[in-house]
């Protein structure tokens, strides 16, 4: 590289990643092929629009790459292009969620999402996010005693508040989600003026790789819209996918039905973005092919096995695990006498990288919360097995009890 300053920083970051253990639940390590596609000359190309309908010439190969990415995305999640549309252009998870609301929820409408301190994402309507400024969040949380979702409570809130959309799928919730129950709740809330029931969106950003690998329930039988980042358990570049059912429509100003997919495509471009990042789309296509292999299935199952062992070992050492355990790649630990910030500082000193995290009914503040979030997706990519989790739990315990 001619730019020595940046070259030095890239090398330094490579060294940091090599020397440390990342238990950040939203991170992973991509393959050399994903990196190659990201660094490819597709980065030079402007491709505003969608395959076959672009504003610039020279799209022979960008069209092929985007079509391939779309068909691989559908295939990976066992979807049929007759029933499902997919948009692969959103630049990341937050703009993907924003695009869905922009397409389907009128400004000022209600989006019902889990509150931040219970494990929801900022883009599920939190007030500091644009999603909480343009739309009104109807918050829900986990049960005070069990720390898992209480579907009866959610139903009560939905019936009382009549949200335009219900969002399931979270940032810091370790358990499986019963998508069928969410469908039943959404179906109870009718909007007669719009001639439809409440829309159910699942944000599977965290567990998409586990769904692909058969290690977590799939939301596709129940959701109207599914969004996901591609860079967490799915192990791809930073990007996002938006799936929507083709039979779901919304009336336009002239009273004609328009499919959710068409509305979402328009919300992404030209609603929110200009040219898609074609190098990123090429890298997502590589990811989706990798995730369809038997090796990836094995990987996804190992991710969950590792998380269960890590949670159990920490529990045995006396640590309070939120909800009592995990069904996924993710564990929330109440760090007790020390704050989550202090815990993450101590762990970094011994080469273990985690993030501080709020716990349900957080008594402290988001900047200085009571817990840490751990995830096993990255270390499992590097080959970690159950025995490594036992050792890791000991190291974590020692660092936190010091
Ligand atoms: C559930 C969920 N949705 C959306 C996002 C946003 O993704 P991004 O950081 O790519 O904007 C995240 C990120 O952590 C997430 O956990």
């Amino acid at each position: 590289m001619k730019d020595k300053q940046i070259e030095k920083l890239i090398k330094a970051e490579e060294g940091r990643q090599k020397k440390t253990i990342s238990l950040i639940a939203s991170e992973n390590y991509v393959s050399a092929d994903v990196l190659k596609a990201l660094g490819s000359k597709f980065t030079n190309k402007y491709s505003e629009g969608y395959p076959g309908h672009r504003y610039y010439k020279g799209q022979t190969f960008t069209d092929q790459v985007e079509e391939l990415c779309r068909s691989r995305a559908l295939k990976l999640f066992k979807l049929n292009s007759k029933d499902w549309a997919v948009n692969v252009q959103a630049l990341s998870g937050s703009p993907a969620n924003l695009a869905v609301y922009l397409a389907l929820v009128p400004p000022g409408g209600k989006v019902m999402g889990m509150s931040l301190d219970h494990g929801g994402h900022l883009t599920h309507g939190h007030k500091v996010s644009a999603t909480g400024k343009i739309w009104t969040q109807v918050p829900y949380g986990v049960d005070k005693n069990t720390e898992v979702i209480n579907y009866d409570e959610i139903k009560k809130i939905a019936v009382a508040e009549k949200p335009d959309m219900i969002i399931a799928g979270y940032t810091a919730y370790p358990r499986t989600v019963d998508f069928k129950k969410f469908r039943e709740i959404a179906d109870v809330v009718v909007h007669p003026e719009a001639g439809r029931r409440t829309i159910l969106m699942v944000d599977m950003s965290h567990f998409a790789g586990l769904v692909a690998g058969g290690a977590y329930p799939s939301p596709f039988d129940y959701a109207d819209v599914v969004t996901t980042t591609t860079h967490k358990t799915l192990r791809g570049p930073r990007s996002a996918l938006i799936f929507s059912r083709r039979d779901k429509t919304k009336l336009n100003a002239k009273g004609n039905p328009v499919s959710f997919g068409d509305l979402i495509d328009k919300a992404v471009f030209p609603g929110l973005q200009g040219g898609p990042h074609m190098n990123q789309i090429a890298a997502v296509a590589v990811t989706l092919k990798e995730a369809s292999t038997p090796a990836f299935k094995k990987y996804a199952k190992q991710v969950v096995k590792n998380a269960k062992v890590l949670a159990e070992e920490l529990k045995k050492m006396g640590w309070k695990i939120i909800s009592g355990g995990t069904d996924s790649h993710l564990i929330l630990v109440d760090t007790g006498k020390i704050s989550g910030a202090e815990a993450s500082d101590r762990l970094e000193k011994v080469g273990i990288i985690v993030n501080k995290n709020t716990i349900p009914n957080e008594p402290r503040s988001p900047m200085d919360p009571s817990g840490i979030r751990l995830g096993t997706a990255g270390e499992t990519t590097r080959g970690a097995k159950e025995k490594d989790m036992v050792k890791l739990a000991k190291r974590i315990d020692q660092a936190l009890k010091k």
Side-chain angles (χ1 to χ4, degrees):
M1 239 177 132
K2 286 205 185 93
D3 185 334
K4 294 298 165 200
Q5 273 175 301
I6 290 295
E7 185 177 48
K8 200 171 149 199
L9 288 171
I10 292 172
K11 288 232 165 83
E13 174 59 13
E14 281 172 3
R16 186 198 67 79
Q17 290 188 15
K18 215 171 183 174
K19 281 191 250 128
T20 55
I21 289 175
S22 172
L23 293 180
I24 295 196
S26 46
E27 290 183 4
N28 212 325
Y29 301 99
V30 300
S31 69
D33 283 2
V34 167
L35 284 178
K36 197 162 180 188
L38 264 183
S40 70
K41 292 195 177 170
F42 274 116
T43 202
N44 296 336
K45 188 69 196 119
Y46 239 108
S47 317
E48 279 182 351
Y50 290 97
H53 309 277
R54 308 273 195 194
Y55 287 80
Y56 301 72
K57 301 305 283 180
Q59 306 293 350
T60 310
F61 306 112
T62 48
D63 276 6
Q64 286 181 43
V65 136
E66 189 165 344
E67 288 290 18
L68 198 53
C69 189
R70 292 207 286 210
S71 64
R72 284 182 181 177
L74 294 173
K75 195 167 168 214
L76 180 64
F77 294 102
K78 303 185 176 67
L79 307 174
N80 185 318
S81 64
K82 282 209 307 286
D83 301 327
W84 286 85
V86 59
N87 183 298
V88 301
Q89 291 195 3
L91 303 178
S92 215
S94 301
N97 288 348
L98 186 57
V100 173
Y101 310 151
L102 202 60
L104 306 179
V105 185
K110 291 180 180 176
V111 293
M112 183 167 157
M114 191 180 272
S115 57
L116 192 69
D117 65 329
H118 284 237
H121 191 254
L122 288 166
T123 59
H124 297 176
H126 190 277
K127 62 179 188 301
V128 302
S129 147
T131 63
K133 298 185 196 300
I134 304 173
W135 298 278
T136 306
Q137 189 195 42
V138 175
Y140 66 90
V142 294
D143 187 90
K144 219 173 169 180
N145 300 315
T146 62
E147 295 167 336
V148 298
I149 291 171
N150 178 336
Y151 296 91
D152 293 335
E153 264 313 301
I154 291 174
K155 188 173 173 181
K156 269 190 217 153
I157 300 171
V159 168
E161 294 283 347
K162 293 184 114 221
D164 295 278
M165 177 181 278
I166 299 179
I167 304 150
Y170 316 101
T171 289
Y173 184 71
R175 297 304 193 167
T176 46
V177 177
D178 190 335
F179 299 116
K180 186 165 183 262
K181 286 217 172 105
F182 265 106
R183 176 78 262 162
E184 287 161 9
I185 295 167
D187 282 348
V188 168
V189 184
V190 184
H191 296 273
E193 68 297 345
R196 60 164 175 76
R197 295 169 200 281
T198 285
I199 299 164
L200 177 61
M201 170 176 133
V202 174
D203 178 348
M204 64 168 186
S205 290
H206 261 275
F207 48 84
L210 306 181
V211 173
Y216 194 93
S218 167
F220 287 99
D221 283 343
Y222 305 104
D224 301 309
V225 178
V226 177
T227 60
T228 182
T229 54
T230 48
H231 45 276
K232 300 181 178 39
T233 49
L234 196 53
R235 208 165 65 186
R238 320 193 77 77
S239 191
L241 306 170
I242 308 172
F243 300 88
S244 56
R245 272 184 192 281
R246 286 200 190 274
D247 62 348
K248 294 287 169 170
T249 58
K250 208 182 140 199
L251 298 182
N252 65 13
K254 289 185 189 145
N256 298 321
V258 186
S259 76
F260 281 10
D262 286 349
L263 292 167
I264 289 166
D265 280 352
K266 284 205 181 87
V268 172
F269 172 81
L272 285 169
Q273 299 178 184
H277 296 183
M278 292 310 303
N279 56 320
Q280 203 184 19
I281 291 173
V284 171
V286 171
T287 301
L288 296 167
K289 190 168 185 202
E290 289 176 356
S292 68
T293 57
F296 194 86
K297 265 202 172 73
K298 226 170 130 188
Y299 161 74
K301 297 209 162 86
Q302 189 65 49
V303 167
V304 178
K305 277 190 214 163
N306 284 351
K308 282 182 185 290
V309 172
L310 185 55
E312 279 311 309
E313 290 299 309
L314 289 169
K315 242 165 94 172
K316 277 191 224 159
M317 292 162 181
W319 293 100
K320 180 175 185 286
I321 305 298
I322 300 299
S323 85
T326 182
D327 307 318
S328 64
H329 63 302
L330 192 152
I331 303 157
L332 259 184
V333 187
D334 181 337
T335 44
K337 288 195 196 110
I338 58 169
S339 72
E342 163 90 30
S344 59
D345 284 349
R346 286 196 197 179
L347 288 168
E348 185 166 26
K349 287 199 182 107
V350 297
I352 300 172
I353 310 298
V354 306
N355 64 278
K356 61 186 174 191
N357 216 98
T358 52
I359 59 170
N361 304 303
E362 178 61 56
R364 303 168 73 107
S365 74
M367 283 316 289
D368 188 26
S370 307
I372 51 173
R373 187 184 66 163
L374 311 177
T376 53
E379 286 314 297
T380 309
T381 293
R382 287 169 147 181
K385 294 272 174 4
E386 290 91 328
K387 65 179 186 335
D388 303 299
M389 294 297 120
V390 175
K391 285 189 204 147
L392 200 48
K394 279 192 192 125
R395 284 182 62 187
I396 293 171
D397 180 63
Q398 272 166 9
L400 300 188
K401 278 191 184 148
K402 255 198 298 200

